[in-house]
Amino acid sequence: MRLGEGKLPMLPRLLGKEDMSDSGTPTRSRYVLVATLVVACCILVSLWKAVDARGPLARARGLMPSIGAQKVDRPVPKDVADMILDLPGGEKIRLADLPPDRLVFLNLWATWCEPCVREIPSMLQLSRELRSARFSMVAVSYDEDWKTIQDFFRGFLGGLPKEMILTRDPVGENPGSLRLKLGTEKLPETWVIRDGQLLARFVNERDWMDPAIVEYFKRLLEAR
């Protein structure tokens, strides 16, 4: 027997030609491979959905009923985003000026509102707890003038707080105010905003250092 004699029939198998019929149509093994890939993709998609369903955003949404957060999920009205608010030094700011990916804690309050004043300490604590380049606490006052606000904080904290962007609605209680555009009827009220969306709102005061509330905001920050 010559070298290799009797072995030539093995060449088609080594070259993979056994997987093709005479007409060039893929054979059963090719179909098995494709089916295996399809099943693997389906499994990966299912796993991704399972992880997503248990991810930080889902966890944050799951906490909302227990912390009294009302789901909103609608775009920020353009007239709200473009509303000009006063800053202490005479400068102006709009919500639209904040980076779009920023998680914004928008609190509407006044010094004459007792529930508003009661929640300020825990608000400041929450801001310190969530210290991040992607978190902004914006407080919009409905006091008549800056002197009232400044005198309040001098007696309360010794000066204006650094943990929040303190603003004042120049329209006050009149038609066209930020609070009326948002649909806020009573103070305090807090809105959660990100990417041009109103995510949720909290009506009335809160202990913002409640562990479930802190987790809610941390999960939202993680979800980015």
Side-chain angles (χ1 to χ4, degrees), residues 91-178:
E91 300 89 349
K92 310 291 183 180
I93 191 173
R94 303 175 306 157
L95 293 178
D97 296 330
L98 298 172
D101 64 343
R102 190 72 54 89
L103 182 64
V104 179
F105 178 108
L106 179 67
N107 179 260
L108 309 180
W109 76 292
T111 60
W112 44 259
C113 165
E114 291 186 11
C116 300
V117 172
R118 283 198 299 264
E119 70 175 357
I120 287 177
S122 64
M123 280 174 55
L124 298 178
Q125 283 183 279
L126 178 67
S127 183
R128 290 191 290 269
E129 178 75 18
L130 301 177
R131 188 177 292 112
S132 165
R134 294 185 293 106
F135 178 79
S136 290
M137 180 172 285
V138 181
V140 183
S141 170
Y142 281 87
D143 288 282
E144 292 185 2
D145 52 59
W146 272 111
K147 185 179 185 305
T148 300
I149 302 168
Q150 291 168 330
D151 288 347
F152 166 79
F153 276 112
R154 286 193 189 99
F156 193 67
L157 299 173
L160 297 180
K162 298 179 180 179
E163 295 88 347
M164 62 173 63
I165 301 173
L166 187 60
T167 72
R168 177 180 169 274
D169 189 338
V171 178
E173 298 295 320
N174 300 313
S177 68
L178 182 68

Side-chain angles (χ1 to χ4, degrees), residues 11-33:
L11 287 177
R13 182 177 299 175
L14 293 172
L15 295 174
K17 292 184 178 180
E18 73 184 60
D19 293 334
M20 303 293 291
S21 66
D22 292 339
S23 62
T25 304
T27 60
R28 183 176 62 184
S29 60
R30 185 70 59 83
Y31 285 124
V32 169
L33 176 60

